[in-house]
Amino acid sequence: MDFQLSEDQQALKEGVRTFCDGRISADQLRELEKEAFDRDLWGELAEMGVFGLRLPESEGGVGLGSADAVVVFEELGRCLAPGPLVWSHLLAGRVEGAASGECVVGGLDLLGRGEDPVLVEHLAHIDALVVLREEGVYKVAPGSLEGAPIETPLDPFTPVHHVASLPEGECIADAAEAAQLRVEGAALASALMLGIAEQTQEMATEYAKGREQFNRPIGSFQAIKHILADMFVRQELARAAVYAAGATLDDPEVGSVRRAVSTAKLVAGEAAMKNSRSCVQVHGGMGYTWEMPVHYYLKRTWVLENVFGGVEEHALQVAEEIGERG
Amino acid sequence: MDFQLSEDQQALKEGVRTFCDGRISADQLRELEKEAFDRDLWGELAEMGVFGLRLPESEGGVGLGSADAVVVFEELGRCLAPGPLVWSHLLAGRVEGAASGECVVGGLDLLGRGEDPVLVEHLAHIDALVVLREEGVYKVAPGSLEGAPIETPLDPFTPVHHVASLPEGECIADAAEAAQLRVEGAALASALMLGIAEQTQEMATEYAKGREQFNRPIGSFQAIKHILADMFVRQELARAAVYAAGATLDDPEVGSVRRAVSTAKLVAGEAAMKNSRSCVQVHGGMGYTWEMPVHYYLKRTWVLENVFGGVEEHALQVAEEIGERG
Amino acid sequence: MDLRYSDSDEAFRKELREWLAEAVPAHGSPPDAADWAGRRAYDTGWQRKLYDAGYAGINWPKEYGGRDASLTEQLVYYEESARARAPYIGVNFVGILHGGPTLISEGTDVQKERHIGPILRGEQVWCQGFSEPGAGSDLAALKTRAERDGDHYVLNGHKIWTSFAQVADYCELLVRTDPDARKHRGISWLGIPMGLEGMEIRPLPTLTGEGEFSEVFLENVRVPVDCLVGAENDGWRVTNVTLAFERGTAFATDMVVFQEVMRELAAVAKRVTRNGAAAWEDRSLRAEVGHLAAEVEAVWAMVKYTVSEADRTGVPSVSASGVKLYFTELKQRIGETCMRVLGRATLSREDVDGLPCQSFVYEALQSLSMTIAAGSSQIQRNIISERILGLPREPR
Amino acid sequence: MDLRYSDSDEAFRKELREWLAEAVPAHGSPPDAADWAGRRAYDTGWQRKLYDAGYAGINWPKEYGGRDASLTEQLVYYEESARARAPYIGVNFVGILHGGPTLISEGTDVQKERHIGPILRGEQVWCQGFSEPGAGSDLAALKTRAERDGDHYVLNGHKIWTSFAQVADYCELLVRTDPDARKHRGISWLGIPMGLEGMEIRPLPTLTGEGEFSEVFLENVRVPVDCLVGAENDGWRVTNVTLAFERGTAFATDMVVFQEVMRELAAVAKRVTRNGAAAWEDRSLRAEVGHLAAEVEAVWAMVKYTVSEADRTGVPSVSASGVKLYFTELKQRIGETCMRVLGRATLSREDVDGLPCQSFVYEALQSLSMTIAAGSSQIQRNIISERILGLPREPR
């Protein structure tokens, strides 16, 4: 057992971080606010191997595993990289051009869902839409959907269309694969939320060191210190859970994959939600402005909480295993 | 509207407080630990009018209302007065000798209960047992019960018997009255918990002012201050809710009685539970000893949370009203 | 201990309810949030109607044209206004609830003549220039300077979180008139006209996307000395006198609205489907909503308790900080539950399929400011622990 | 990033599991909590069996008779011991996990000779005399004096929270040897025999009703100078060296036990009836239990992460404070849920109708100490924010 990053993983992580710092900084992100998508950036992400990461090298991929993928998505979450990252990654190898970035693949998860309004993310930017249904994985031509764009989406970087009618599309994989994609999607969404939890903790800590009130840095007050300490602990817990989900996906003999992934989604979701809220609070009035990027993190978290199963579903998933063995 | 204590209520409250300070102090309580009941004290409480408080003067009672009763029970909760106070108060006028204290009345609430083990409180000390059932209120002779005493009860002042067989007893009131007694019981239990919330807040505040670590009173640290501030707010919220329940029982036109009472049980329960836990934490190691009376409060709260409806039941009660009007 | 309103309170309620039943629909729908001229007209128009009907300045003394309502009447006013969905106080907020009361208490006759009537009739809009980038929780650290030059002050500084600056006629401005005094001692309260030379207003959009706040930059702005309200360097005290006007009723409207929000949440939960049935069928969700509704009910009882105390003693209850602290955090928790019930529909901030995405998402976002503005939760806990519980101050 | 145990770890697990399968049942049931002689015999007897089988001092260096297991082997050891419900370390706690390691690192040859072997074989029981009534969170404020008198120290003071003092042979005692030095600088670490003249032990029952803690009063107790471990006045450093021995595994047993508790909770929820059906039928309860179980799983992953980090670097991970903080508060939340599921049955601390009242109530009560002992949650948050996040210290 060596539950730490390998040297290769460390290098991978640093590479992605360096790329994101230079290409998806807060200022650059702000400029993307209008369009919420950048085809050039997408190509660069593809080139870095984000989408083909787990595709075998023989199929043009990077040939890495889920443990590597969660590390990459952790970094992408940190910088709030926009676009249907998870879907395009999941469908690499199944949809032509997904790995290379030539085909931007979006998705819609109808598994375990009620009769909510059908909201499709990034519809205007995708070349293929994949739908997870009980019966299997379906590919739908985005142009065939009847839908109206929502003018003010929750997350400025996650535009949505409200779709009135969804064609069935072409079945490209069976029910078992749909379920598997959903589990992998949940793990990657967790990794994005882990990145959010880390970044908001670091932003809040930096701000608390610099901001002075009552002639002291606010970070010298216990009330603020203890908020930050709790943020740190949630981030550490989330990291362990997300990495465990990745490692378990790669080697299902070390534990229950579903349980590990549900745990990651629950714990990373809570970390991202509470940390981004705390980040607003520590920033005070500035955290409530549009200009400071703090709110982007909370809004993205709300989006990620609503894909690949919500809190209750994953909690029940864990309970089911506990109950079986009880 | 004058949602403050009247002069009479203020005097009543102070009278009970003075009595409790002199007769049920922490030291005196500790001496009661073995027996958990003091017949003399019971007589004195009766003489003060605790049981006959809401009985008309024509029937030998004090002729006051529920708003007065919650004030009295708030004070009794503060000092953890032992014995089946609520039951004897509820049954005054319905069971001979309850108001005068000659007949100690205990009770068992089977309404809305599952098939939990039947645990009867204070069985060894009561002269009459009253059972609330769907069909009505039943009076059972305590001696007719087959039960074994539990050697280590949760709360040292609330001895329980595990009863294997419970006779039906004599029906003394109908289903509507059973339901009404239960609502009143919930209000009085809330008042006891309000007293617990207040007392634990005050104990913790006093301790924090006196206890020094790192050359400062621990109450000068924000971490401790903010715990205490939250305790204070919970107590204030609980007081408003409990008094509102009392006032609404007296004058049902000012609001929904069930909603007011359920609100009181929820809010006072949470205040008592969180404040008694916080009181342990603020006291540090000393709070974990048997000698300091802090733990009595938490244990009593657990007992009170389990009578006249628990958290979920009362929350659903409020939801039902919200939903009807929705 | 009596929750029953008096006959005269009930008579007031009846009369007000009848008036609102006609006046509210007649006033029409509010204009678009970005239409500032329209908003000013809408809000001040409503204020004028209140004035004509005798409901303006509900808590102002009669001699200044207010209603001087008792605190219970004020509660009735807030209840009925919220129930009738009457227009919010909007751009009149600072004038009616803050600037006006301050002038009544501390202004000269000339100042009162200039402002009181116009504010009450909706003819004069005020904004607030208190906070600065470096003076938030620590308001007394403000640095905006006012230097005396003959019969003028020359103002230099930078204010932030100024609401409705775009449409205001006057600004209540806290400035430092004595830079050498200890920080609370060198502050003065000015009521200055807007639109002066050297004044720049820059919008400050919030995370809700709204633009009702601005930053105000002051560069050598000259204002006549008669803008000074109260004595020079006595501005900290002047600032605090107005707080007594509210005496615990600050969140009353909001709480009545939130009782309504809880019912709306239940209604939404009956409509959305989860696990093959209406979400409301789920005990756990019902219990959660019921628990939150109970907390709204309890905090509303706490307001009544606080108001009754203030009615008796004439001073605001110490519990007002507690109401603020509890209610603002409760609003955030309710916001989270609303978001969860709507689920994926919250990805849209416009209503979809008849679900109230617009208002639920807005409330959830807006609630984030509540634990920051007007004394953060951390500051409230300091106040409660030090001023009410008497715990020792931290070493500085 | 690999969660798979190595072949040699798995071989160790297999061998240990087989041994435990025989040894645990053979050791019989633990004696009554109040039977101190019996408890000492039971716990030290088990220690002797561990020793004979080669599992004693799992983390001690080989040269001192320990197993010097890798950290992953230690995890395996804790997992298997918990799963086999092997006897707890009990009265051996201080000797094996604290006093012994301190002596190994800092003791003289004579001291090692006197203590190491006997501790490992269960022949010598130690207790801890660190905390004092006035020195809890602020341990370095301790006042117990040791004054040099020839080749003896004369001890005067009052220790508290001394576990197993009734049955201990030795005590690790922190004393002040230089009252004039700054508070961390005048402290020394002594290993003194129990039962000396002038020493009084007074039981200190906890709110669980148990009596494993005592207060120890020292009045002119004379101990030979060769009880001193490490240099005089260097006791603060000596105290801290042993912490490195655990390197993040402190709660491993507890966490494995709590994975089991979650399963037991589910089993109980299937048995008790609520609203006319098994409590477990209620989605909300299942979701709550599932969420708590996920947190236990996550914190267990955090331990593995921490241990792997320590394995690589040889120093304890900074995250150990985080594990402590999160897990202890989680235990309290689990305790609350267990109490609620049992409902009214918790009024009894004895099992009724086969429900585990005894263990559930005990855990809920015992968990209250977890956020206080060994550095309260407040202290942990200070440590994390100052030492890990680098936030400035408070002014003193």
Side-chain angles (χ1 to χ4, degrees):
Chain A
M1 189 190 74
D2 180 16
F3 191 33
Q4 291 276 307
L5 297 186
S6 67
E7 274 181 37
D8 286 350
Q9 285 167 333
Q10 191 63 46
L12 179 66
K13 192 174 207 281
E14 279 162 21
V16 179
R17 169 86 64 106
T18 304
F19 173 82
C20 292
D21 285 349
R23 192 64 178 80
I24 324 177
S25 67
D27 286 340
Q28 289 163 313
L29 196 66
R30 208 171 282 121
E31 281 175 32
L32 272 178
E33 213 184 82
K34 269 243 165 70
E35 195 45 41
F37 194 74
D38 176 346
R39 193 112 203 173
D40 292 339
L41 173 61
W42 199 259
E44 291 166 48
L45 289 167
E47 207 166 306
M48 202 165 50
V50 166
F51 308 123
L53 198 76
R54 293 185 301 148
L55 204 61
E57 291 180 73
S58 59
E59 298 176 36
V62 190
L64 294 176
S66 294
D68 310 293
V70 294
V71 170
V72 169
F73 275 74
E74 175 187 2
E75 291 303 321
L76 296 173
R78 253 181 188 280
C79 67
L80 294 174
L85 299 163
V86 174
W87 289 105
S88 286
H89 172 102
L90 287 177
L91 275 301
R94 284 192 179 85
V95 171
E96 181 74 28
S100 67
E102 285 155 85
C103 179
V104 180
V105 185
L108 182 62
D109 167 23
L110 296 180
L111 287 167
R113 286 271 306 291
E115 288 158 31
D116 286 337
V118 176
L119 295 173
V120 178
E121 302 165 26
H122 295 288
L123 187 60
H125 308 122
I126 57 179
D127 305 305
L129 177 70
V130 156
V131 182
L132 303 186
R133 294 198 177 92
E134 300 293 341
E135 304 80 31
V137 183
Y138 292 76
K139 195 175 125 190
V140 178
S144 67
L145 267 62
E146 284 170 33
I150 297 291
E151 270 183 50
T152 41
L154 169 62
D155 172 15
F157 305 102
T158 309
V160 285
H161 276 64
H162 181 206
V163 168
S165 131
L166 183 69
E168 186 177 332
E170 172 200 356
C171 182
I172 60 169
D174 65 11
E177 277 191 79
Q180 177 65 18
L181 285 185
R182 192 158 189 263
V183 169
E184 292 174 12
L188 296 173
S190 308
L192 292 171
M193 293 197 285
L194 165 61
I196 288 174
E198 292 169 336
Q199 182 65 19
T200 46
Q201 183 273 116
E202 288 172 23
M203 286 163 69
T205 300
E206 279 317 298
Y207 188 79
K209 286 179 184 172
R211 167 77 174 171
E212 294 202 2
Q213 289 284 272
F214 305 104
N215 305 316
R216 288 162 55 176
I218 61 169
S220 70
F221 288 100
Q222 265 189 348
I224 302 295
K225 276 185 184 174
H226 288 197
I227 291 173
L228 295 168
D230 286 335
M231 290 171 80
F232 175 78
V233 174
R234 283 193 290 263
Q235 151 204 313
E236 295 294 294
L237 189 77
R239 187 184 303 122
V242 168
Y243 286 7
T248 309
L249 274 164
D250 286 339
D251 183 2
E253 281 183 29
V254 300
S256 153
V257 170
R258 282 188 171 252
R259 184 162 162 182
V261 171
S262 287
T263 293
K265 188 92 191 325
L266 287 167
V267 170
E270 188 154 305
M273 190 71 88
K274 289 191 173 165
N275 282 13
S276 49
R277 284 182 167 278
S278 295
C279 190
V280 173
Q281 185 70 21
V282 169
H283 278 78
M286 292 313 296
Y288 190 65
T289 63
W290 190 281
E291 195 188 335
M292 291 285 276
V294 180
H295 64 112
Y296 293 153
Y297 289 88
L298 178 59
K299 290 169 178 173
R300 185 67 61 88
T301 301
W302 266 320
V303 170
L304 293 168
E305 280 283 54
N306 281 296
V307 288
F308 305 114
V311 171
E312 194 189 34
E313 180 186 333
H314 287 289
L316 289 171
Q317 179 68 42
V318 177
E320 198 175 301
E321 295 205 15
I322 295 285
E324 270 169 22
R325 299 160 72 186
Chain B
M1 189 188 77
D2 181 17
F3 192 33
Q4 291 277 306
L5 298 187
S6 67
E7 274 182 35
D8 286 351
Q9 285 168 335
Q10 191 61 47
L12 179 67
K13 191 174 208 278
E14 278 163 21
V16 179
R17 169 87 63 107
T18 304
F19 173 84
C20 292
D21 284 350
R23 192 65 179 80
I24 323 176
S25 68
D27 285 342
Q28 288 163 314
L29 196 67
R30 206 172 283 121
E31 279 176 31
L32 273 177
E33 213 185 84
K34 270 243 165 70
E35 195 46 43
F37 193 74
D38 177 345
R39 192 112 202 170
D40 292 339
L41 173 60
W42 199 258
E44 292 165 49
L45 289 168
E47 207 166 307
M48 201 164 51
V50 165
F51 307 125
L53 198 74
R54 292 186 300 148
L55 204 60
E57 290 180 73
S58 59
E59 297 176 35
V62 190
L64 294 177
S66 294
D68 311 293
V70 294
V71 170
V72 169
F73 276 74
E74 176 187 2
E75 291 303 320
L76 297 172
R78 256 182 188 278
C79 68
L80 293 173
L85 299 164
V86 174
W87 289 104
S88 286
H89 172 103
L90 287 176
L91 275 300
R94 285 191 178 87
V95 171
E96 180 73 28
S100 68
E102 286 156 84
C103 178
V104 181
V105 185
L108 183 62
D109 167 23
L110 295 181
L111 287 167
R113 288 272 307 291
E115 289 158 28
D116 286 337
V118 177
L119 295 173
V120 178
E121 302 166 25
H122 295 289
L123 187 60
H125 308 122
I126 57 179
D127 305 306
L129 176 71
V130 155
V131 182
L132 302 186
R133 294 198 178 94
E134 299 293 341
E135 305 80 29
V137 185
Y138 292 77
K139 196 174 125 189
V140 177
S144 68
L145 269 61
E146 284 172 32
I150 297 292
E151 270 184 50
T152 40
L154 169 61
D155 171 17
F157 304 103
T158 308
V160 285
H161 276 64
H162 182 203
V163 168
S165 131
L166 181 69
E168 186 177 331
E170 170 201 355
C171 182
I172 59 169
D174 65 12
E177 278 191 79
Q180 176 64 18
L181 285 184
R182 192 159 188 261
V183 170
E184 292 174 12
L188 296 172
S190 307
L192 291 170
M193 292 197 285
L194 165 62
I196 288 174
E198 293 169 335
Q199 182 64 20
T200 45
Q201 183 272 115
E202 288 171 24
M203 287 163 68
T205 300
E206 278 317 297
Y207 188 80
K209 286 179 185 173
R211 168 76 174 172
E212 293 201 2
Q213 290 282 272
F214 305 104
N215 304 318
R216 287 163 55 177
I218 61 169
S220 70
F221 289 101
Q222 265 190 346
I224 301 296
K225 277 185 183 173
H226 288 198
I227 292 173
L228 295 168
D230 285 335
M231 292 171 79
F232 176 78
V233 175
R234 283 193 290 263
Q235 150 202 313
E236 296 293 295
L237 189 76
R239 186 184 304 122
V242 169
Y243 286 7
T248 308
L249 275 163
D250 285 339
D251 182 3
E253 282 183 28
V254 300
S256 153
V257 169
R258 282 188 173 253
R259 183 161 162 184
V261 170
S262 287
T263 293
K265 189 92 191 326
L266 287 167
V267 169
E270 187 154 304
M273 190 71 88
K274 289 192 174 162
N275 282 13
S276 50
R277 285 182 166 277
S278 294
C279 190
V280 173
Q281 185 70 21
V282 169
H283 278 78
M286 291 314 295
Y288 190 66
T289 63
W290 189 282
E291 195 188 335
M292 292 285 274
V294 181
H295 64 111
Y296 293 153
Y297 289 87
L298 177 60
K299 290 169 178 173
R300 185 67 60 86
T301 301
W302 267 320
V303 170
L304 292 169
E305 280 282 55
N306 281 295
V307 287
F308 305 113
V311 171
E312 195 190 33
E313 182 186 332
H314 287 290
L316 289 171
Q317 179 69 43
V318 177
E320 199 176 298
E321 295 205 14
I322 295 284
E324 270 169 23
R325 298 161 72 185
Chain C
M1 201 195 297
D2 182 9
L3 282 171
R4 185 175 279 263
Y5 287 94
S6 69
D7 290 345
S8 73
D9 290 338
E10 289 298 352
F12 170 67
R13 181 193 301 279
K14 186 164 172 287
E15 167 210 303
L16 175 61
R17 188 177 290 183
E18 281 165 11
W19 182 78
L20 288 167
E22 283 199 17
V24 172
H27 199 61
S29 301
D32 192 79
D35 172 13
W36 282 104
R39 285 174 71 173
R40 178 177 166 135
Y42 184 83
D43 294 349
T44 56
W46 179 249
Q47 180 64 29
R48 175 71 201 204
K49 288 178 184 173
L50 288 173
Y51 177 80
D52 290 339
Y55 298 119
I58 190 84
N59 59 345
W60 287 23
K62 277 225 170 73
E63 53 178 308
Y64 295 101
R67 190 178 180 96
D68 204 12
S70 71
L71 280 166
T72 42
E73 271 182 352
Q74 287 180 42
L75 276 194
V76 170
Y77 173 83
Y78 292 125
E79 280 185 340
E80 293 302 321
S81 300
R83 278 183 191 149
R85 299 176 186 263
Y88 287 116
I89 192 165
V91 304
N92 308 296
F93 182 88
V94 176
I96 293 291
L97 292 178
H98 210 269
T102 303
L103 289 161
I104 287 171
S105 172
E106 303 288 325
T108 61
D109 288 343
V110 174
Q111 288 169 335
K112 287 177 184 174
E113 180 69 26
R114 193 192 298 154
H115 300 299
I116 301 292
I119 288 174
L120 206 62
R121 293 189 297 271
E123 294 158 10
Q124 200 178 87
V125 171
W126 281 60
C127 64
Q128 187 178 71
F130 281 14
S131 298
E132 298 181 4
S137 290
D138 186 10
L139 180 59
L142 61 91
K143 288 201 170 69
T144 294
R145 281 284 280 129
E147 280 171 294
R148 189 71 176 258
D149 180 19
D151 55 358
H152 280 74
Y153 285 116
V154 181
L155 311 178
N156 280 286
H158 176 185
K159 292 290 176 180
I160 196 170
W161 298 115
T162 304
S163 46
F164 307 113
Q166 301 93 322
V167 293
D169 306 301
Y170 283 87
C171 177
E172 47 172 33
L173 193 76
L174 286 186
V175 292
R176 187 159 302 282
T177 33
D178 182 353
D180 300 323
R182 280 174 53 205
K183 70 182 186 181
H184 295 79
R185 301 279 169 82
I187 294 171
S188 297
W189 199 107
L190 308 181
I192 68 164
M194 294 295 285
L196 298 176
E197 203 183 318
M199 194 184 269
E200 190 199 340
I201 297 171
R202 204 177 291 168
L204 183 71
T206 68
L207 55 73
T208 65
E210 285 184 323
E212 76 183 50
F213 292 103
S214 298
E215 293 180 271
V216 176
F217 296 84
L218 303 164
E219 199 183 332
N220 294 323
V221 175
R222 295 179 70 85
V223 295
V225 170
D226 76 350
C227 291
L228 176 69
V229 176
E232 198 174 81
N233 297 327
D234 196 28
W236 192 253
R237 188 193 60 76
V238 173
T239 304
N240 284 299
V241 291
T242 55
L243 297 178
F245 262 75
E246 293 226 340
R247 282 178 294 179
T249 62
F251 291 96
T253 312
D254 224 11
M255 282 177 204
V256 179
V257 168
F258 261 72
Q259 292 175 327
E260 191 52 48
V261 168
M262 297 315 296
R263 286 190 283 270
E264 191 176 356
L265 176 57
V268 169
K270 286 178 179 180
R271 287 196 45 211
V272 302
T273 305
R274 296 284 180 273
N275 315 301
W280 192 245
E281 292 300 304
D282 183 43
R283 291 172 62 84
S284 102
L285 177 65
R286 288 206 308 283
E288 182 179 331
V289 173
H291 205 291
L292 292 168
E295 289 175 82
V296 174
E297 170 128 343
V299 79
W300 178 235
M302 195 168 162
V303 167
K304 290 181 181 170
Y305 190 80
T306 307
V307 158
S308 294
E309 190 183 346
D311 244 346
R312 277 203 195 177
T313 62
V315 296
S317 159
V318 290
S319 299
S321 272
V323 170
K324 203 270 183 190
L325 181 57
Y326 200 91
F327 184 61
T328 56
E329 302 205 331
L330 174 59
K331 275 189 74 165
Q332 293 185 353
R333 288 188 283 122
I334 292 172
E336 284 184 77
T337 301
C338 288
M339 292 292 282
R340 216 170 55 251
V341 167
L342 278 186
R344 212 173 140 75
T346 55
L347 266 61
S348 165
R349 293 187 59 183
E350 297 157 24
D351 294 357
V352 279
D353 289 355
L355 296 171
C357 305
Q358 192 270 329
S359 67
F360 277 20
V361 175
Y362 175 79
E363 288 290 352
L365 289 173
Q366 196 273 338
S367 73
L368 293 168
S369 73
M370 302 280 292
T371 54
I372 297 169
S376 70
S377 291
Q378 286 69 39
I379 295 287
Q380 301 299 336
R381 290 190 180 96
N382 283 349
I383 290 172
I384 291 168
S385 58
E386 292 176 6
R387 297 196 204 156
I388 302 179
L389 301 179
L391 290 160
R393 292 177 66 112
E394 287 190 288
R396 287 283 160 84
Chain D
M1 202 196 297
D2 182 10
L3 283 170
R4 187 175 278 262
Y5 288 95
S6 68
D7 289 347
S8 73
D9 290 336
E10 290 296 351
F12 170 67
R13 182 192 301 278
K14 184 162 175 290
E15 167 209 304
L16 174 61
R17 188 177 290 184
E18 283 167 9
W19 182 77
L20 288 167
E22 283 199 16
V24 171
H27 199 60
S29 301
D32 190 79
D35 173 11
W36 283 104
R39 284 174 71 172
R40 177 177 167 135
Y42 184 83
D43 295 348
T44 57
W46 178 249
Q47 181 64 30
R48 177 70 202 205
K49 287 179 184 173
L50 287 172
Y51 177 82
D52 291 339
Y55 299 119
I58 191 84
N59 59 345
W60 287 23
K62 278 226 169 70
E63 53 178 309
Y64 296 101
R67 190 176 182 97
D68 203 10
S70 71
L71 280 167
T72 43
E73 270 182 355
Q74 286 180 41
L75 276 194
V76 169
Y77 172 83
Y78 292 125
E79 279 184 341
E80 293 302 320
S81 300
R83 277 182 189 148
R85 298 176 187 262
Y88 288 117
I89 193 165
V91 305
N92 307 297
F93 182 88
V94 177
I96 292 292
L97 292 179
H98 210 270
T102 303
L103 289 160
I104 287 172
S105 171
E106 303 288 325
T108 62
D109 288 345
V110 174
Q111 288 169 335
K112 289 176 183 174
E113 181 68 28
R114 194 194 298 155
H115 301 298
I116 301 291
I119 288 174
L120 206 62
R121 292 188 299 271
E123 293 158 10
Q124 200 178 87
V125 171
W126 280 60
C127 65
Q128 186 179 71
F130 281 14
S131 297
E132 298 181 4
S137 289
D138 185 13
L139 180 59
L142 62 90
K143 289 200 168 73
T144 295
R145 281 283 281 129
E147 280 172 293
R148 190 72 177 259
D149 179 20
D151 54 359
H152 281 72
Y153 286 116
V154 182
L155 310 178
N156 280 286
H158 175 185
K159 293 289 178 181
I160 195 170
W161 299 115
T162 305
S163 46
F164 307 113
Q166 303 92 323
V167 294
D169 305 302
Y170 283 87
C171 177
E172 47 172 30
L173 193 76
L174 287 187
V175 293
R176 186 158 303 281
T177 33
D178 182 353
D180 301 321
R182 280 176 49 205
K183 71 183 187 181
H184 295 80
R185 301 280 170 81
I187 294 170
S188 296
W189 199 107
L190 308 181
I192 69 164
M194 294 296 284
L196 298 176
E197 204 182 316
M199 193 182 270
E200 190 200 339
I201 297 172
R202 205 177 289 169
L204 181 72
T206 69
L207 55 73
T208 65
E210 284 184 324
E212 76 182 52
F213 292 103
S214 298
E215 293 180 272
V216 177
F217 297 84
L218 304 163
E219 197 183 333
N220 294 322
V221 175
R222 295 180 69 86
V223 297
V225 169
D226 76 350
C227 289
L228 176 69
V229 176
E232 198 174 81
N233 297 327
D234 195 29
W236 193 253
R237 188 193 60 76
V238 173
T239 304
N240 284 298
V241 291
T242 54
L243 297 178
F245 261 74
E246 293 225 339
R247 284 178 292 179
T249 62
F251 292 94
T253 312
D254 225 11
M255 283 178 204
V256 178
V257 168
F258 261 72
Q259 293 176 326
E260 191 53 47
V261 167
M262 297 315 296
R263 286 190 283 270
E264 192 176 355
L265 176 57
V268 169
K270 286 178 179 179
R271 286 196 44 212
V272 301
T273 305
R274 295 285 180 272
N275 314 303
W280 191 245
E281 292 300 306
D282 183 43
R283 290 172 61 85
S284 104
L285 177 65
R286 289 207 307 283
E288 181 179 332
V289 173
H291 204 292
L292 292 168
E295 289 175 82
V296 174
E297 170 126 344
V299 79
W300 179 235
M302 196 168 162
V303 168
K304 289 182 180 169
Y305 190 81
T306 308
V307 158
S308 292
E309 190 183 346
D311 243 348
R312 276 203 194 175
T313 63
V315 294
S317 160
V318 290
S319 299
S321 272
V323 170
K324 202 269 183 191
L325 180 57
Y326 200 91
F327 184 61
T328 56
E329 303 205 331
L330 174 60
K331 275 188 77 165
Q332 294 185 351
R333 288 188 283 125
I334 292 172
E336 284 183 76
T337 301
C338 288
M339 292 292 282
R340 217 170 56 249
V341 168
L342 279 185
R344 212 172 140 76
T346 54
L347 265 62
S348 164
R349 294 188 56 183
E350 297 157 21
D351 295 356
V352 280
D353 289 354
L355 296 171
C357 305
Q358 192 270 328
S359 66
F360 276 20
V361 176
Y362 175 78
E363 288 290 353
L365 289 172
Q366 197 272 340
S367 72
L368 293 168
S369 73
M370 303 280 291
T371 53
I372 296 169
S376 70
S377 290
Q378 286 71 37
I379 295 288
Q380 301 298 338
R381 291 190 181 97
N382 283 349
I383 290 172
I384 290 167
S385 57
E386 292 176 7
R387 296 196 203 155
I388 302 178
L389 302 179
L391 290 160
R393 292 178 66 113
E394 286 190 288
R396 288 282 161 85

